[in-house]
Amino acid sequence: MALRLPHQLGALAGAPIKSREITTASPVNSSLSVSPPLARMHKAMDLNHKPRRMNPVLATAQADLSVACKAFAVETTEERRTHKEGRVGGGGGGVPVFVMMPLDSVTMGSAVNRRKAMRASLQALRSGGVEGIMIDVWWGLVEREAPGGYNWGGYDEVLEMARKVGLKVQAVMSFHQCGGNVGDSVTIPLPQWVVEAVDKDPDLAYTDQWGRRNHEYISLGADTLPLLKGRTPVQCYSDFMRAFRDNFRHLLGDTIVEIQVGMGPAGELCYPSYPEQDGTWKFPGIGAFQCYDKYSLSSLKAAAEAYGKPEWGSTGPTDAGHYNNWPEDTHFFKKEDGGWNTEYGEFFLTWYSQMLLDHGERILSSAKSIFENTDVKISAKVAGIHWHYGTRSHAPELTAGYYNTRFRNGYLPIAQMLARYNAVFNFTCIEMRDHEQPQDALCAPEQLVNQVALATLASEVPLAGENALPRYDDYAHEQILKASALIFDRNNEGESREMCAFTYLRMNPVLFRAENWGRFVGFVKRMGEGRDSHRCWEEVEREAEHFVHVTQPLVQEAAVALTH
């Protein structure tokens, strides 16, 4: 039974956050993936083959489908649901579904990857009732050659394709590297001139206590230092966003409805504490703190001196174990007398998490001023770190920069920061259930999602969701439907709402297989109906089945184009 909101907010205000006892549930289908991590597991499409010429019969079918698609999937222009990300409370009107595009939608040569396949796929998504797409706009592609030299090439074309078929766009300002993690089938490094700067000054990279450098994203310790050809990293991000705004001004607010601002590895506001490259980290290890570059250590030294404990400023915790340890393997994270629950632990974790919050604040402040009066929403993505959630210390969350323990809510400060900039809180692992995950690692994605949802409710911040891993089964769809409804207490309308949007991972040939496409269209239809719809599910499902049949030729064309 759901708690009344006052009791739930009591936990948010600082009272102990008690997780219910995690027990082993009945086993699930062995084909369901056990949770390796999150955004890093996203899979790109293989777009390296030339598309086959469209069959004349399918071309005729595609033309004939246009009227049906408009009438059946999205009604008329006047009736069509508007993007809901500005709405915080209320609910019941449905959740728009976006679909993530392949990581390599634009090539290193700044061209659309497999143009005909892309066009057919976008039309198929539109035919299925999808609201729009999410696409990574890679810093390492657009500003690759020289500072201030922006080549929007392929993005101009992809966004124009989306506009023509009537799809909305969530554009991700991807200031991180793509490649090196499981699921990264392509490699897109940071801009060449940035890589050269890091080579000259290795402390621009995140660093662990053993001296291992992480090149996925520039260390936040250097945020305000003019070390990139005379500009600070934050200035580089700001200039990039400003150039994007100026180039795509004609699409802002109409086609482009959201700017998701990348703030760390995988585009998430976090430290790169669980790097999979070269097998450094494996699920469900606790990860490692990433504050040993000289710029971060300089900040730690100043904080320790201001606190009156200068001896705490020379290094981070030295007893926090290694990447693949579990909490009880370490002195710092163990439940009894662990260093995390001491004065020193509180000092260090407060500094470490505040550095991350300050980083987010700097970038969001810039993004808000750049996109002001453009009718687009700003959003930020937060990692869904659900393993060892049932422990007292929540070690993997702590190393990632989220000061969330059994006795402290680490997501409320993030939600409050986003509220100051009217930004959307985007969260992953929405499709996961607790009992699907390894119980010995005390994984609890459902409890984590609920905690985050309550934090956004208390802060009056819109919440959007993503699935962390590719899933095409009804069981995952049902969990997404349940999680997106955000029902905290059915007896009080003021305590319930819906997610403002959901982004589905990912467009690829597997999605367009007949059995998967049928389930997906039904899922999109049910998400669009909303929690308070008075129509029975059987009626909705019959409509979805009919529409799948009507659009089959178009979907077949997309599938063929993607696989040949």
Side-chain angles (χ1 to χ4, degrees):
M1 182 174 66
L3 291 173
R4 299 290 297 179
L5 185 63
H7 295 90
Q8 294 172 326
L9 295 187
L12 295 175
I17 303 171
K18 298 181 179 179
S19 303
R20 67 173 183 270
E21 185 177 353
I22 303 176
T23 58
T24 303
S26 58
V28 296
N29 191 314
S30 60
S31 65
L32 294 177
S33 300
V34 170
S35 163
L38 315 170
R40 320 285 180 85
M41 298 296 294
H42 294 174
K43 297 192 177 181
M45 290 165 42
D46 179 8
L47 298 178
N48 295 323
H49 303 291
K50 293 182 179 179
R52 192 172 72 178
R53 184 178 298 277
M54 183 181 289
N55 185 301
V57 175
L58 294 180
T60 302
Q62 178 175 334
D64 292 341
L65 280 168
S66 61
V67 174
C69 291
K70 291 178 182 177
F72 200 93
V74 292
E75 297 90 27
T76 64
T77 301
E78 291 77 19
E79 294 171 328
R80 188 177 179 207
R81 178 182 64 251
T82 57
H83 190 52
K84 295 167 48 177
E85 292 192 346
R87 180 174 57 77
V88 176
V95 179
V97 175
F98 291 72
V99 174
M100 294 184 195
M101 300 300 289
L103 295 171
D104 57 350
S105 293
V106 174
T107 69
M108 292 299 290
S110 297
V112 178
N113 210 348
R114 296 191 64 207
R115 184 175 292 103
K116 292 183 179 179
M118 180 69 71
R119 186 176 292 110
S121 300
L122 293 178
Q123 183 64 54
L125 293 178
R126 178 71 167 131
S127 78
V130 167
E131 180 83 359
I133 60 172
M134 173 180 280
I135 185 168
D136 288 283
V137 183
W138 296 104
W139 187 26
L141 289 183
V142 175
E143 199 180 357
R144 181 178 57 173
E145 300 296 337
Y150 304 103
N151 183 350
W152 302 106
Y155 292 106
D156 282 315
E157 193 169 352
V158 171
L159 297 186
E160 182 61 20
M161 286 182 187
R163 185 195 67 80
K164 285 183 177 179
V165 301
L167 289 170
K168 303 298 185 183
V169 175
Q170 298 168 321
V172 184
M173 304 290 101
S174 295
F175 299 120
H176 61 286
Q177 166 189 291
C178 177
N181 288 301
V182 176
D184 286 349
S185 60
V186 296
T187 298
I188 303 173
L190 298 179
Q192 181 59 36
W193 51 276
V194 174
V195 173
E196 292 171 358
V198 176
D199 288 342
K200 292 179 180 178
D201 183 357
D203 282 287
L204 285 169
Y206 280 111
T207 309
D208 64 22
Q209 64 175 311
W210 304 282
R212 181 189 180 277
R213 307 286 189 180
N214 187 298
H215 298 92
E216 292 182 67
Y217 186 84
I218 298 297
S219 170
L220 58 77
D223 268 359
T224 60
L225 303 175
L227 301 174
L228 297 179
K229 304 292 185 180
R231 291 185 296 169
T232 71
V234 172
Q235 285 174 332
C236 291
Y237 308 148
S238 301
D239 290 344
F240 184 92
M241 290 188 286
R242 190 174 295 107
F244 179 90
R245 178 202 64 190
D246 294 344
N247 190 76
F248 294 103
R249 189 182 295 274
H250 62 293
L251 297 178
L252 296 176
D254 182 18
T255 296
I256 302 172
V257 295
E258 177 183 330
I259 302 295
Q260 186 173 110
V261 186
M263 298 184 187
E268 297 167 335
L269 179 64
C270 66
Y271 291 90
S273 57
Y274 48 101
E276 295 169 304
Q277 190 170 20
D278 301 325
T280 302
W281 173 91
K282 294 181 180 178
F283 176 83
I286 59 176
F289 292 113
Q290 304 289 315
C291 58
Y292 293 86
D293 61 271
K294 67 182 181 182
Y295 303 114
S296 295
L297 287 177
S298 176
S299 171
L300 176 60
K301 182 176 184 293
E305 290 173 353
Y307 188 79
K309 295 281 189 177
E311 65 272 21
W312 289 352
S314 60
T315 184
T318 57
D319 56 354
H322 204 273
Y323 286 98
N324 293 310
N325 285 139
W326 286 31
E328 290 304 308
D329 297 334
T330 74
H331 290 291
F332 189 79
F333 293 119
K334 65 181 183 178
K335 64 181 179 181
E336 297 291 347
D337 300 319
W340 65 275
N341 203 25
T342 64
E343 182 186 4
Y344 166 73
E346 183 177 355
F347 159 77
F348 174 78
L349 293 171
T350 297
W351 168 82
Y352 189 70
S353 60
Q354 189 61 49
M355 286 281 283
L356 187 66
L357 289 170
D358 290 345
H359 174 67
E361 192 107 28
R362 293 184 194 104
I363 300 177
L364 283 175
S365 175
S366 177
K368 182 180 180 181
S369 65
I370 290 168
F371 292 103
E372 202 164 16
N373 301 320
T374 61
D375 294 325
V376 300
K377 296 298 298 180
I378 302 297
S379 70
K381 186 176 177 182
V382 176
I385 302 176
H386 58 82
W387 52 101
H388 300 297
Y389 184 87
T391 63
R392 294 183 186 179
S393 63
H394 293 228
E397 293 165 87
L398 298 185
T399 58
Y402 308 147
Y403 193 176
N404 191 58
T405 70
R406 185 169 297 183
F407 313 114
R408 180 187 178 105
N409 191 307
Y411 299 101
L412 189 58
I414 298 174
Q416 291 169 338
M417 177 193 68
L418 294 174
R420 288 194 287 274
Y421 300 97
N422 194 31
V424 176
F425 193 126
N426 187 284
F427 199 64
T428 61
C429 76
I430 303 301
E431 85 285 9
M432 294 180 178
R433 299 176 193 248
D434 292 352
H435 71 81
E436 292 176 339
Q437 314 304 322
Q439 293 304 295
D440 56 346
L442 299 181
C443 302
E446 291 178 89
Q447 295 179 50
L448 174 60
V449 169
N450 188 64
Q451 181 188 352
V452 167
L454 287 169
T456 62
L457 180 66
S459 304
E460 299 186 330
V461 170
L463 177 64
E466 296 180 6
N467 52 311
L469 301 174
R471 293 282 295 269
Y472 308 97
D473 55 292
D474 287 331
Y475 195 60
H477 293 163
E478 289 292 338
Q479 180 61 21
I480 295 168
L481 283 158
K482 174 186 173 184
S484 65
L486 300 181
I487 300 174
F488 303 113
D489 190 331
R490 292 182 179 274
N491 298 319
N492 189 328
E493 294 182 1
E495 295 176 15
S496 66
R497 54 172 179 157
E498 291 176 311
M499 287 186 179
C500 61
F502 178 81
T503 304
Y504 183 87
L505 171 74
R506 177 181 309 271
M507 190 186 86
N508 59 29
V510 179
L511 175 61
F512 290 125
R513 291 176 184 171
E515 65 277 13
N516 292 338
W517 179 252
R519 286 191 289 263
F520 177 72
V521 170
F523 162 72
V524 172
K525 189 70 175 174
R526 291 179 67 183
M527 289 284 280
E529 284 294 311
R531 184 183 61 238
D532 297 338
S533 173
H534 297 295
R535 297 204 301 157
C536 66
W537 286 127
E538 289 77 6
E539 180 182 358
V540 175
E541 288 171 353
R542 281 196 303 271
E543 288 186 2
E545 289 172 4
H546 174 68
F547 194 55
V548 168
H549 175 73
V550 170
T551 60
Q552 186 175 7
L554 180 59
V555 175
Q556 287 177 339
E557 171 64 23
V560 168
L562 289 169
T563 54
H564 290 77

